[in-house]
Amino acid sequence: MCGIVGYLGQKKASDVILSGLHKLEYRGYDSCGITFYSEKKDTFITHKDQGRVRHLEDDFDYNHDNHLAIGHTRWATHGEPTQLNSHPHRSADGRFIIVHNGVIENYHEIKVKYLDNVTFTSETDTEVIVNLIEHFSKSLQISEAIRKTLSILEGSYALLILDTEHTNRLYAAKNKSPLLLGVAENGMTMASDVMALVGHADHYIPLEDKTYTEITATNDGFVYDMVDVIGKPIQTKMIKMDLVTEEIGKAGYAHYMLKEICEQPSVVRKIMNRYSKNGVFHIDENIIQALSSASNIHIIAAGTSMHAGLIAKHYFEVLAEIPTQVHIASEFAYNMPLLGEAPFFILISQSGETADLRACLVNLKEAHHPMLTVTNVGTSTLAREADYSLEIFAGPEIAVASTKAYVGQVTVLLILTFLLSDKKMFDLNAELSKAAVSMEAIIDNRDYVRQLVKDRIIKTSCFYIGRGIDYYTCMEAALKLKEISYIQTEGFAAGELKHGTIALIEKDIPVVAIITQEHISKNTRSNLQEVITRGAKTITISMKHVSNMKDDIVLMDTHELLTPLVSVIPTQLIAYYSALNLGRDIDKPRNLAKSVTVE
Ligand code: AGP
């Protein structure tokens, strides 16, 4: 949550920051701001306000040469999204300026202990950090003052700091929140996400927790120095930039979400390529070994990734025959259940930065439990800190509503469980290829779904019903519809409806049924009949082998275990077109952020 970006180099810094903020806006978009050093005026100028980056740009004064700047896009935690609470924040005596992503847990204690004579202008925890630096700078060198501050802060932070007395330097620090240093000969860029480095860096370094970085413009170029809190130099890992500008654009689609929905067949094919050689699937033998010796598996995740975990549970139990439980990360972190004799943990996270999951990881690490992270970001915190990690190679997912990452997670976990299974019940290559074609067919037919949505979905509420893995898809479908259209939606086990919730069904309530599994298709159809009798407006999504003449969306067949990859596509389209009809901000729905780095 929140995106930060900083630049010191030969380019116009404010351009780098504004374009970076656009790319980071998916992380939070309540308010935003920028501070740059104007060479003409020899002063630091700040623009910040409520609302989006494009709004900030409208009033921006572009007539300043500048080569040093920091920026922020905010998802409010402490204090409402107002101009005063927007970042950057300045220390009371004006010397230091800061942007922050994260949450400082002991900000109140710090205020009382060190800063009782400071007048604060915002309600943020961030203002405490910048004033604490100022406090220590009265008796210490700047680097010592920042490191001393870090040793006191509790919580999560990625910080970029400007010192108005050193206009050739940019300072940074990190703990738990992501921060990368982008390196190029003509300048250094720091950002929360690799996307903001595209075009400005040849290589990047993911910063380690509890570290301090100082970037300096010298006569010989731009140099950086990375140390831990006590000032000891640390080893860094330089990674080559492999993202290109095209991968982070909309490619002509009206929204990122639609683009990402349409990319899903190619995500499946890319994963097949990445995890196979000459048509034979392969995953790191150490992971296979570790999972084979597990008595049971615990999958931990949040939101859409948790729904992918539910599908994976089915795979682990049917294909690998390992008992598997799925946990909501925010629950597991503080209410750990009985774990079994030799448990193995799988953390699923698109971003690899979700704070609820990180809290679980810390607990599990302390207890020396083995862990695998399945993620879209190979360099993310959760990928680096787990014992093993598997990447889903979905490419950058920019819409807040997750679509292609879900399909990527399910595909990778299917391949993993398939390799763990002795039986090899089907030809995985052939079935995944069929699934990709079936996904393509419904994507190509999306105008039909658009019309269906126009006719059947209303504004106030909706139900998705299904059984078995279809029920899991219903949960994901419901989350997608509510998060971008704001229509109250429930994903329900079809057979459970009659035990109370059917009381909500009345004339014209939309009910979408998902039917893909032969052994329970008749049961779901009976439940569907029960809601039709009570006046519901229904949409039926089925696979060909279990379809009826009157079904609204009939999907091309693939093996029954792979149907979740296909049946989720029309539900994503239903969510997309419902939100479009209602004029919602599809890629940036209200109150949400892509990367949830607060607990
Ligand atoms: C999905 O559409 C959501 N925006 C959200 O539920 C998301 O899946 C969840 O916050 C978990 O994120 P992660 O996969 O990055 O950990």
Side-chain angles (χ1 to χ4, degrees):
M1 302 200 140
C2 300
I4 62 172
V5 56
Y7 181 76
L8 175 60
Q10 288 167 357
K11 295 184 184 178
K12 189 168 181 177
S14 53
D15 287 351
V16 177
I17 302 303
L18 289 170
S19 82
L21 288 181
H22 275 294
K23 291 172 193 160
L24 295 175
E25 232 183 358
Y26 74 94
R27 301 176 66 85
Y29 32 85
D30 295 336
S31 52
C32 55
I34 171 172
T35 297
F36 60 86
Y37 171 63
S38 163
E39 282 150 27
K40 191 168 64 181
K41 296 211 161 172
D42 185 23
T43 188
F44 284 81
I45 297 176
T46 297
H47 292 270
K48 60 179 190 174
D49 209 348
Q50 226 178 306
R52 303 279 166 91
V53 180
R54 60 169 187 270
H55 168 64
L56 190 75
E57 285 173 326
D58 287 343
D59 298 325
F60 199 77
D61 180 0
Y62 291 91
N63 294 317
H64 293 269
D65 276 342
N66 63 87
H67 297 95
L68 171 64
I70 56 175
H72 186 273
T73 175
R74 179 167 187 248
W75 189 87
T77 54
H78 292 72
E80 284 175 29
T82 59
Q83 204 261 351
L84 276 182
N85 288 331
S86 311
H87 300 217
H89 289 283
R90 202 155 181 159
S91 59
D93 75 355
R95 178 173 167 187
F96 296 100
I97 303 161
I98 197 171
V99 289
H100 168 216
N101 167 28
V103 174
I104 301 305
E105 287 152 14
N106 59 340
Y107 76 101
H108 183 68
E109 292 88 317
I110 294 174
K111 262 186 179 179
V112 174
K113 188 164 176 193
Y114 300 97
L115 308 171
D116 62 344
N117 55 354
V118 173
T119 310
F120 288 89
T121 55
S122 77
E123 301 155 273
T124 65
D125 49 345
T126 307
E127 218 187 337
V128 167
I129 311 174
V130 72
N131 279 295
L132 195 59
I133 295 171
E134 179 190 290
H135 170 82
F136 290 125
S137 71
K138 309 257 192 271
S139 54
L140 297 170
Q141 295 284 334
I142 163 82
S143 69
E144 285 165 357
I146 296 177
R147 286 189 285 108
K148 174 84 180 162
T149 300
L150 304 186
S151 70
I152 291 168
L153 296 181
E154 284 170 21
S156 56
Y157 51 82
L159 305 172
L160 296 177
I161 306 151
L162 298 174
D163 176 1
T164 53
E165 291 179 11
H166 290 106
T167 57
N168 65 335
R169 288 203 194 138
L170 172 61
Y171 307 90
K174 164 203 153 53
N175 187 42
K176 296 185 190 168
S177 300
L179 190 57
L180 310 169
L181 167 66
V183 181
E185 214 168 285
N186 60 357
M188 304 279 178
T189 316
M190 307 229 45
S192 310
D193 186 311
V194 73
M195 274 191 284
L197 305 179
V198 173
H200 309 303
D202 310 317
H203 291 84
Y204 68 95
I205 301 167
L207 267 61
E208 296 293 331
D209 279 351
K210 297 251 179 202
T211 56
Y212 163 75
T213 302
E214 195 172 303
I215 299 168
T216 312
T218 69
N219 290 337
D220 300 326
F222 301 90
V223 294
Y224 64 87
D225 189 26
M226 260 180 217
V227 295
D228 64 13
V229 251
I230 55 164
K232 208 168 103 217
I234 52 159
Q235 294 284 345
T236 56
K237 191 175 160 218
M238 187 88 93
I239 300 169
K240 197 171 164 3
M241 286 285 295
D242 57 1
L243 253 191
V244 289
T245 316
E246 294 73 60
E247 280 186 275
I248 53 175
K250 280 195 206 150
Y253 288 93
H255 297 94
Y256 280 110
M257 182 179 179
L258 186 59
K259 174 183 175 243
E260 288 158 9
I261 290 173
C262 295
E263 281 172 351
Q264 293 176 107
S266 55
V267 168
V268 170
R269 293 187 181 112
K270 193 165 164 196
I271 293 171
M272 289 170 72
N273 270 332
R274 290 288 191 143
Y275 284 105
S276 67
K277 213 174 180 186
N278 305 325
V280 181
F281 285 102
H282 176 80
I283 278 179
D284 180 356
E285 199 46 42
N286 295 316
I287 298 178
I288 303 289
Q289 282 300 324
L291 275 158
S292 306
S293 48
S295 63
N296 54 329
I297 290 167
H298 295 274
I299 295 176
I300 315 173
T304 289
S305 298
M306 196 272 289
H307 297 148
L310 289 168
I311 306 283
K313 166 193 162 67
H314 188 74
Y315 294 160
F316 272 110
E317 296 194 329
V318 173
L319 288 170
E321 298 180 62
I322 310 177
T324 303
Q325 271 175 274
V326 182
H327 308 276
I328 294 172
S330 55
E331 285 299 309
F332 187 92
Y334 300 98
N335 298 290
M336 212 187 274
L338 290 176
L339 298 177
E341 236 169 76
F344 186 92
F345 294 83
I346 300 182
L347 314 184
I348 309 177
S349 174
Q350 185 282 132
S351 61
E353 301 293 347
T354 301
D356 291 327
L357 265 178
R358 179 121 200 296
C360 300
L361 180 138
V362 170
N363 293 345
L364 295 171
K365 262 196 143 173
E366 258 171 37
H368 304 290
H369 288 302
M371 254 178 297
L372 160 72
T373 293
V374 177
T375 181
N376 199 21
V377 186
T379 53
S380 61
T381 309
L382 294 172
R384 283 183 286 128
E385 293 185 353
D387 304 285
Y388 313 100
S389 91
L390 286 177
E391 230 181 300
I392 61 169
F393 302 110
E397 189 182 64
I398 294 165
V400 164
S402 182
T403 52
K404 63 175 179 171
Y406 172 83
V407 155
Q409 290 160 346
V410 172
T411 308
V412 168
L413 287 157
L414 171 66
I415 295 171
L416 177 64
T417 47
F418 188 83
L419 291 174
L420 284 164
S421 126
D422 303 328
K423 296 186 204 137
K424 306 285 179 281
M425 290 152 68
F426 52 89
D427 178 348
L428 183 57
N429 236 315
E431 293 304 329
L432 275 172
S433 302
K434 269 202 244 169
V437 172
S438 178
M439 290 159 95
E440 242 151 27
I442 182 68
I443 288 168
D444 290 348
N445 211 4
R446 58 185 181 274
D447 276 345
Y448 167 70
V449 180
R450 182 181 193 156
Q451 194 51 47
L452 209 57
V453 165
K454 219 168 159 198
D455 296 346
R456 318 258 173 100
I457 300 285
I458 55 163
K459 242 168 119 175
T460 46
S461 63
C462 180
F463 283 88
Y464 271 92
I465 59 168
R467 288 169 176 248
I469 42 176
D470 292 338
Y471 166 42
Y472 302 149
T473 306
C474 285
M475 292 165 78
E476 170 52 15
L479 175 62
K480 213 80 326 169
L481 183 57
K482 62 188 148 191
E483 80 173 317
I484 61 164
S485 72
Y486 319 147
I487 294 171
Q488 167 100 45
T489 311
E490 279 199 62
F492 227 80
E496 183 64 10
L497 213 56
K498 59 184 176 292
H499 296 289
T501 307
I502 201 164
L504 296 175
I505 303 295
E506 55 183 357
K507 189 165 174 337
D508 289 344
I509 292 283
V511 177
V512 186
I514 302 181
I515 305 172
T516 71
Q517 306 293 300
E518 195 165 5
H519 70 291
I520 41 167
S521 69
K522 284 207 177 72
N523 311 55
T524 308
R525 285 193 187 278
S526 304
N527 302 136
L528 185 61
Q529 207 46 56
E530 289 154 13
V531 299
I532 292 175
T533 311
R534 284 154 184 89
K537 235 191 243 180
T538 60
I539 295 180
T540 308
I541 301 170
S542 64
M543 294 305 282
K544 191 156 188 328
H545 72 290
V546 288
S547 64
N548 269 0
M549 287 265 288
K550 284 191 179 156
D551 290 350
D552 300 284
I553 298 174
V554 178
L555 304 162
M556 283 166 60
D557 275 332
T558 176
H559 188 280
E560 279 202 343
L561 279 175
L562 278 72
T563 56
L565 291 172
V566 186
S567 58
V568 75
I569 310 283
T571 73
Q572 296 167 342
L573 291 167
I574 287 173
Y576 176 78
Y577 288 119
S578 304
L580 195 67
N581 289 343
L582 293 167
R584 306 300 193 213
D585 192 345
I586 295 183
D587 286 334
K588 297 187 182 84
R590 71 180 176 209
N591 303 338
L592 296 178
K594 183 78 183 161
S595 183
V596 187
T597 52
V598 292
E599 276 190 55

